[in-house]
Amino acid sequence: MLHGIFEVVAELRVLSAVALLCLSFILPLTIFIGRSNIKTIRQKIIADLENVFRIDGHGPDTLIPSFEFAAYKYRALPHQSDQPQPSEWRAYFLPVLVFILVSFSGFLTSSGLLLTHARLEHFQPFFSGMTLVTGDPASRTTMVHYQMQTMSALTFTFIGAYIWSIDYLVRRISNYDLSPISFLRVTAHIILACVTSVTLHHGYVELMNSSPSSVVGDRVPELIVAFLIGFFPKLGLQTLLSRVPQLQVRRVDPRASGFAKEYPIDMVLGIDSAIKFRLAEFEIEDVQNLATANPILLFVETPYGIYETMDWVAQAQLILALDLDQIEALRLINVRTIFDLEHFLETPASRALLVTALNTPRTDGKGTVLQQDRGITDATVETIVRAIGEDLHVQRLRQIWRNIELKLKFDLPHVRRESEMLHAPCLDAEPPAPPPPRPHGEGRKTLAAVE
C-alpha cells in the first residue's frame, strides 16, 4: 500500500517537472512566433507606404531617408529579397537554451519539488548563510526553518524577475530589435536579482539578530522587498553599497539632481493614459523620446495614423525646445507644434505675439518668478526659431511633412512654390550634349526591325 503511494507521488513529481520544463519553453517559443508575425504585417505596411515617400523626379528607387531607415529595419527596401538567414537560429540557440535552463531551475525551486526533509537538514551555505548547525536538535530545526525562509525570498525574487523578463522580451519584439543578447540579458537579470535578494536576506536577518529593534527601525515586509528586487536588482545592489561607503568609487554631484527632470508624454494634446501605455511598449516614455522618434516607424508599429503621429512628434519637439512657462503662453495664441512657431514669424502682427509669448517670465512652477525678462526681442526671435528648426529630428519631420503635402497635391501657395523648387533644373548644370548624327538609313532599319 505504502509502496504504491510512493510510486504515485514519484510519478506526480516527474509529471510536474515535465510540465515546468514545458512552461520554460513557452516564453521563447511565443516570442519567436510573435516576432515573425509582426515582421510580416509591418513589411506589408511599409510596402504600401513606398509610393507615398518616394521623391518625385529623382528615379524610381529614391526614397526619403526616414522611410529608408524604417524599411531597412524590416529588410523591406525596394528590389531587396528577404531571404531567411540560415545561420540565425544558431546565434539564438545557446542564449535561449541558457535562459530555458535558468527558468526551469527557478520554476523547480518555486514549486517546492526540490524541498525534501533530507535536503533541508543538510547545511547549504547559499540558503543557510551564517546559520550554523551544532549537535543540538533545536539548532538543526532552526536551520531548516531558516533555509525555508531563504527559499521563500528566492521564489518571490524569481517571480518578479521572470515577470520583468516577459515585459522586456515583449518590448523587444514590439520594437523589432530582438537579438541573442536580449536572452542573455534577461538571464543575467534573473541570476543577479536572485543572488542579490538572498544576500540581502542573510544580511538583514543577521542585522536583526545582532542589533536592537530601535536601531533597525520599522521592518519592511521581506517578501515585498524580494519581489521588487526581482524587478530592480540594482536597487538591491545600491542598498548593499550604502552599507559599505568605501566601495562607492564614483560620487554623484548633488547639482545633478536639479537636471533630472522628465516631461511625461501625456503633456502632448491627444495622448491619454491608454495611448501612453501603448507607446511605453516601444520605450517612448517621455517627451524627449517622442520628439526624436521617427513618425513613419510610429505609424508602422502602432495602430495610430500617420497624421496623428506627426502631430504628436511636432508637439513634443516644441515642448522639448522650450520650458513649460513658454509652452503655456504659446498655447494661448494657438501655437501647438514646432511648425506653428515658424509660421508666426511670417507677419509683423504674429511675430509680436510670438515675442511676447517667448519672453514670458520663467517660474519654478509654484508662483515664484526666477527670471522676469528673458531678453528675447524682435531682432533675436528669428535666430532662436531657426536654431530650434535646425535640429536633425526637426528637419526629418519637416521633410516628411512636405513630402506628404506634395503627394496630396494641395493647391496652396507654399506647396506650389516647394514643388517648383523641387522640379526646377539646376542653373549651374551644363545643357545636355546633342546626340551624335546617325548614318543615313539607320533610323529606317531600326524602325523596320521593331515592326
Side-chain angles (χ1 to χ4, degrees):
M1 179 66 179
L2 292 176
H3 181 69
I5 294 177
F6 289 149
E7 287 182 351
V8 171
V9 171
E11 290 178 359
L12 290 177
R13 285 180 175 271
V14 172
L15 292 177
S16 300
V18 172
L20 293 176
L21 183 60
C22 295
L23 182 62
S24 304
F25 274 93
I26 287 178
L27 179 59
L29 182 62
T30 305
I31 292 297
F32 282 113
I33 294 176
R35 177 175 178 263
S36 177
N37 294 336
I38 285 177
K39 179 180 179 181
T40 302
I41 294 173
R42 292 176 181 175
Q43 279 184 337
K44 293 179 180 178
I45 297 176
I46 290 176
D48 294 337
L49 286 176
E50 184 179 327
N51 293 329
V52 177
F53 294 104
R54 180 179 289 114
I55 302 177
D56 293 335
H58 290 75
D61 295 336
T62 303
L63 302 169
I64 64 175
S66 301
F67 181 80
E68 287 187 345
F69 292 150
Y72 180 77
K73 182 177 181 180
Y74 295 95
R75 297 172 185 166
L77 288 172
H79 309 298
Q80 179 177 352
S81 60
D82 187 15
Q83 298 295 333
Q85 299 181 3
S87 61
E88 187 176 10
W89 66 271
R90 299 177 184 176
Y92 280 97
F93 178 75
L94 187 58
V96 172
L97 179 62
V98 173
F99 173 73
I100 290 175
L101 292 177
V102 172
S103 302
F104 180 59
S105 302
F107 285 131
L108 279 179
T109 304
S110 304
S111 64
L113 292 177
L114 300 179
L115 289 179
T116 60
H117 193 271
R119 286 195 179 99
L120 291 175
E121 283 187 344
H122 288 83
F123 175 75
Q124 303 177 64
F126 185 72
F127 296 108
S128 300
M130 300 297 293
T131 305
L132 303 178
V133 183
T134 61
D136 188 5
S139 67
R140 185 173 297 275
T141 303
T142 302
M143 185 193 67
V144 170
H145 292 168
Y146 184 81
Q147 288 190 141
M148 294 180 67
Q149 293 177 2
T150 304
M151 297 189 77
S152 298
L154 181 64
T155 296
F156 278 81
T157 303
F158 169 76
I159 293 174
Y162 195 79
I163 294 176
W164 181 91
S165 301
I166 295 175
D167 178 72
Y168 178 81
L169 292 175
V170 168
R171 291 192 180 205
R172 297 286 68 78
I173 63 173
S174 297
N175 293 333
Y176 198 74
D177 58 356
L178 184 71
S179 67
I181 300 297
S182 304
F183 287 95
L184 292 179
R185 180 177 180 182
V186 295
T187 303
H189 180 94
I190 294 174
I191 296 175
L192 177 62
C194 292
V195 173
T196 303
S197 177
V198 171
T199 305
L200 279 176
H201 169 73
H202 294 325
Y204 195 74
V205 171
E206 185 178 356
L207 182 64
M208 288 285 296
N209 295 334
S210 60
S211 303
S213 58
S214 59
V215 176
V216 179
D218 296 334
R219 182 174 181 180
V220 181
E222 190 172 350
L223 294 183
I224 296 179
V225 176
F227 182 80
L228 292 177
I229 291 177
F231 273 88
F232 312 106
K234 291 185 178 180
L235 180 63
L237 288 177
Q238 291 175 0
T239 304
L240 292 175
L241 291 175
S242 64
R243 299 293 180 179
V244 188
Q246 294 79 5
L247 296 178
Q248 299 180 8
V249 180
R250 301 179 63 181
R251 299 291 192 271
V252 179
D253 193 326
R255 296 173 296 178
S257 59
F259 294 91
K261 296 180 180 180
E262 180 178 349
Y263 293 158
I265 61 173
D266 48 8
M267 292 176 56
V268 175
L269 299 178
I271 296 182
D272 55 13
S273 58
I275 298 176
K276 180 180 178 180
F277 177 80
R278 186 64 184 270
L279 293 179
E281 297 177 2
F282 304 92
E283 298 183 347
I284 300 177
E285 299 180 349
D286 60 10
V287 167
Q288 194 275 340
N289 301 146
L290 183 59
T292 56
N294 187 343
I296 298 178
L297 274 178
L298 284 180
F299 170 70
V300 172
E301 298 176 344
T302 65
Y304 310 114
I306 183 65
Y307 303 132
E308 198 171 19
T309 58
M310 290 172 61
D311 183 73
W312 291 343
V313 174
Q315 290 186 58
Q317 289 176 354
L318 183 63
I319 297 174
L320 183 64
L322 305 174
D323 61 40
L324 298 185
D325 296 306
Q326 293 173 319
I327 295 298
E328 187 176 1
L330 287 173
R331 286 186 176 179
L332 293 177
I333 59 175
N334 201 27
V335 176
R336 299 185 308 108
T337 68
I338 194 74
F339 302 128
D340 294 339
L341 195 70
E342 297 175 350
H343 292 159
F344 263 62
L345 293 175
E346 296 177 357
T347 63
S350 60
R351 190 187 188 100
L353 292 175
L354 182 61
V355 171
T356 303
L358 293 178
N359 215 23
T360 187
R362 186 167 65 92
T363 65
D364 61 351
K366 300 178 181 178
T368 304
V369 177
L370 302 178
Q371 184 180 5
Q372 183 65 36
D373 186 9
R374 298 174 184 265
I376 300 176
T377 62
D378 186 75
T380 60
V381 64
E382 186 173 353
T383 304
I384 295 174
V385 174
R386 186 186 301 115
I388 296 174
E390 289 179 354
D391 289 337
L392 290 179
H393 53 270
V394 178
Q395 295 184 40
R396 175 183 63 188
L397 181 62
R398 183 183 292 111
Q399 184 186 44
I400 299 173
W401 194 294
R402 288 177 176 174
N403 195 77
I404 293 180
E405 279 186 336
L406 295 175
K407 293 293 182 180
L408 291 177
K409 306 297 184 183
F410 280 161
D411 190 19
L412 298 176
H414 70 280
V415 177
R416 292 198 305 267
R417 183 172 60 252
E418 291 174 359
S419 180
E420 293 173 357
M421 292 175 59
L422 185 64
H423 296 91
C426 182
L427 297 179
D428 297 333
E430 297 181 357
R438 292 178 299 181
H440 181 70
E442 182 178 351
R444 292 173 182 159
K445 291 181 180 179
T446 306
L447 181 60
V450 174
E451 292 176 355

